[in-house]
Amino acid sequence: MVVDAQAVQQTESARQRALAGLRVVDSGPEARFDRITRLAQQLFGVPMVSITLLDGDRQWRKSHLGLTTEAPREKAFCDVTARQDSALIVFDATADERFADNPFVVGDPHLRFYAGEPLHAPGGEAVGTLCVLDTEPHTITPEQERVLRDLADWVQDELNRDDELDRAAIAQKGLLPRRKPRAPGFDVAAACEPSRGVSGDFYDWYDVGDDFCVTVGDVMGKGMAAAIVGASVRTALRSTMDFSDLEDSVDAASRLVEEDLDQLATFVTLFHAKVHTDGAVDYVDAGHGLALVVRDRGPLERLRSSALPLGLPAPEPRTPDRVMLGPNDSLVCVSDGVLDALGGDRAFPVLEAIVRGNATPGGAVSRILSAARAGVPIDDVTAVIVRRSTW
């Protein structure tokens, strides 16, 4: 058989690009993959199981039992499986002329039985395998072959979910405000860091005449569904930016997303404020409760939450409150992920110290997220700061 070396190289190059695009090689252990390998071991009664990815001249194992994390790719059973792009089942390697003198058969780990299914990247490239192995010969039934294929599909779904999350994260970042408000006499900064690729937190700001609006929202839950809800709420609020009254704006946005929130059985806490040129801040806090004012001189002032979150029936109107920012005062709003990572209510003195200790809102926001990462970051973290200038 004549081998087209150029076609082989093109296929290999496409495989490596696809594998690099998954951004999974050399990552740490993950329970979602380890769960699959444990299940495969139990179902097939074998000592060795591997989720193997073919990276250059090595086999790298994302999850494995009874094997090492890496092994040479040359002559590997998994390489054969990926190259033929179909299941490879070897009942007894010593009796199979293709593998009788294979280094993995005559040497460590002295394989006899191998059953592997190819794993594909989103573009269809075979980038690795899910395989079960033993040092004793085995037979497997057609039903077991289907089970192995189902488990391999499960692995692919997990790999592709990461790819989808990466794409969603890029799209979500594109929805964040690109330009700061014109806001003469004010400096603003914000950052949002998701716990799972995409975030249920969101922030926004935009000019409204000479004033500007600032929003921080936190969707109950994490991941893709929370991110979609957050984007819907942000869009709904932006659609009401011409409303002069904050109560009308928040209520109109709530009505626009009410059906979606009801179907998903979730809700959104929201801090939505309009900052005026004279330092007055009108705001509606719908169940958020994590906004505060750090005064240039004077004690920390926590702003009260006076309304229920979006998605919950509001028996009373979401009426705005007002606070004044003096020269060098800062309005700070964070998500509950920051609060949790910094120790609950103990977070407020930490936030105050960070804001007072940084010359710019941008520096303070960066320090807040760094402090949250150093804590126990189990949730999305978001921080927004509006500081009034001294002039």
Side-chain angles (χ1 to χ4, degrees), residues 268-311:
V268 182
T269 68
L270 186 74
F271 178 83
H272 184 58
K274 180 180 285 187
V275 182
H276 302 275
T277 55
D278 63 356
V281 180
D282 295 318
Y283 67 92
V284 171
D285 191 311
H288 196 69
L290 298 176
L292 52 137
V293 174
V294 177
R295 301 287 183 188
D296 183 38
R297 290 183 174 84
L300 177 74
E301 181 180 343
R302 286 188 62 180
L303 304 185
R304 73 187 188 99
S305 177
S306 57
L308 290 173
L310 277 61

Side-chain angles (χ1 to χ4, degrees), residues 85 119-127:
D85 199 9
L119 301 173
H120 299 96
E125 302 87 353
V127 294

Side-chain angles (χ1 to χ4, degrees), residues 199-224:
S199 177
D201 293 358
F202 65 94
Y203 71 86
D204 199 12
W205 53 48
Y206 47 86
D207 293 301
V208 182
D210 293 331
D211 305 323
F212 65 98
C213 281
V214 176
T215 307
V216 175
D218 190 350
V219 182
M220 185 186 70
K222 305 180 185 69
M224 188 76 74

Side-chain angles (χ1 to χ4, degrees), residues 316-375:
E316 301 293 336
R318 295 184 173 95
T319 55
D321 292 295
R322 170 169 283 202
V323 67
M324 291 294 300
L325 295 182
N328 213 35
D329 288 348
S330 297
L331 171 67
V332 183
C333 189
V334 298
S335 64
D336 62 2
V338 172
L339 196 72
D340 293 339
L342 298 183
D345 285 344
R346 295 193 301 273
F348 294 105
V350 175
L351 293 172
E352 180 181 11
I354 290 174
V355 173
R356 291 189 186 281
N358 282 267
T360 65
V365 164
S366 179
R367 284 287 304 280
I368 289 170
L369 263 66
S370 294
R373 285 194 297 268

